[in-house]
Amino acid sequence: MSITEIPVRVAGPGSQPDEEQELSYIDMPGRMEAYSPPYIADLDAVRRLDGARAAMQWLRQALADYRCGSEPLVANLSSLDEESRELVNQVLGEGEVCVNFTGGMTARTQESVLAGVWRTLYFDSDDRVACDLLEVADAPLTARAASEQSMPIDVTVPDSMPEVHNALPILVELESHLAGYAKTGNRHSINLSLLPLSESEIEFLDKRLGRGPVDVLSRAYGKCQAISTASPNVWWVRYYNAMGTPILNSIEVTAIPEIVVAAAEDLSDSAARLGDILAPYWPEES
């Protein structure tokens, strides 16, 4: 091609079309929710709620006693009167992580505004609350239940191979790292977004791994969903940006994904913050 054949695009005055063009913009992320203490209409009435006070005293002590990696410290709030339960709900608020459990029974765990402090509701067959738990832990009981699955990974070659030839090596890799994880505890992640996988191959992986009882949703910066598989210590983890666009799809070998686990620093901070949160309710104990 000679230089005279190279197309020239004119820019500057008079080079643009006469009609006005509507500008379009990428949607900006929505506002981030921040915790604000609830309005307390009748402090005298609040201070007479012995059930709520006892629950918060237990929580203060549990945060002081808990050590990351140990079993959760649990208080059963099922017997609280409605006024005390409502006050506990106001004090704790809702954090960024929610866990849905659909194993032998249905349960929902909601992180509070304090990292490492969880509320778990268990439901009966009529979808009524059967048990109300307050937990202090790096990860709640419902998330830990995913490691109790027992289905091994099926790495057998299917009769029809052409459409899943990229997916089978992933299953073999997972099986290998699962064995290593049981011995060393070393986590492993496979970034599926970087691999040449078709939709049929993703569906094949999903079918071979099966679905477990735990579904985690984290709304921090953007959104992250972690779904347990029927194989122990294997999770689907998907990240989305603030506009809801998928940005990462991975499979992780771990007992619990990091998006669920509160760090020791988070729990220490929660212990310090709890006193400030409780001060308006029971100033004599802060």
Side-chain angles (χ1 to χ4, degrees), residues 6-195:
I6 299 176
V8 177
R9 189 170 184 178
V10 180
S15 64
Q16 305 304 311
D18 294 334
E19 66 273 11
E20 293 185 1
Q21 294 183 347
E22 183 178 352
L23 298 178
S24 60
Y25 301 90
I26 298 175
D27 293 334
M28 295 299 291
R31 68 185 181 89
M32 182 179 295
E33 297 294 335
Y35 174 75
S36 57
Y39 170 70
I40 308 168
D42 189 348
L43 279 174
D44 290 334
V46 164
R47 289 165 186 165
R48 291 195 295 269
L49 297 177
D50 294 334
R53 173 181 286 192
M56 293 301 96
Q57 288 174 336
W58 177 89
L59 178 57
R60 188 193 294 268
Q61 189 60 50
L63 280 170
D65 294 341
Y66 183 77
R67 298 294 177 269
C68 281
S70 59
E71 289 297 311
L73 301 178
V74 180
N76 191 338
L77 305 186
S78 302
S79 61
L80 280 184
D81 60 86
E82 287 305 314
E83 289 182 323
S84 289
R85 189 186 312 280
E86 177 61 25
L87 180 57
V88 169
N89 292 341
Q90 287 184 21
V91 170
L92 297 181
E94 291 191 0
E96 298 168 343
V97 180
C98 179
V99 183
N100 287 314
F101 178 80
T102 54
M105 64 186 306
T106 302
R108 179 169 56 84
T109 298
Q110 176 65 55
E111 183 187 33
S112 75
V113 295
L114 299 169
V117 178
W118 312 83
R119 290 292 300 283
T120 300
L121 301 178
Y122 288 88
F123 300 89
D124 61 19
S125 56
D126 296 321
D127 204 30
R128 295 174 301 190
V129 176
C131 186
D132 180 356
L133 301 182
L134 175 61
E135 298 182 51
V136 172
D138 48 7
L141 290 168
T142 48
R144 295 167 183 247
S147 62
E148 299 174 2
Q149 301 303 294
S150 58
M151 189 183 87
I153 295 178
D154 182 4
V155 295
T156 58
V157 179
D159 295 335
S160 178
M161 184 74 176
E163 295 184 354
V164 296
H165 61 278
N166 289 325
L168 275 175
I170 294 175
L171 294 176
V172 174
E173 181 178 349
L174 287 172
E175 185 183 46
S176 173
H177 282 278
L178 268 177
Y181 182 76
K183 296 178 181 178
T184 65
N186 292 332
R187 302 183 179 197
H188 183 68
S189 178
I190 302 175
N191 187 346
L192 302 182
S193 303
L194 300 178
L195 300 178

Side-chain angles (χ1 to χ4, degrees), residues 211 223-227 236-240 248-250:
R211 287 300 176 96
K223 183 177 76 171
C224 179
Q225 185 179 32
I227 303 172
W236 287 94
V237 180
R238 298 181 175 97
Y239 289 88
Y240 305 82
L248 176 63
N249 184 18
S250 63

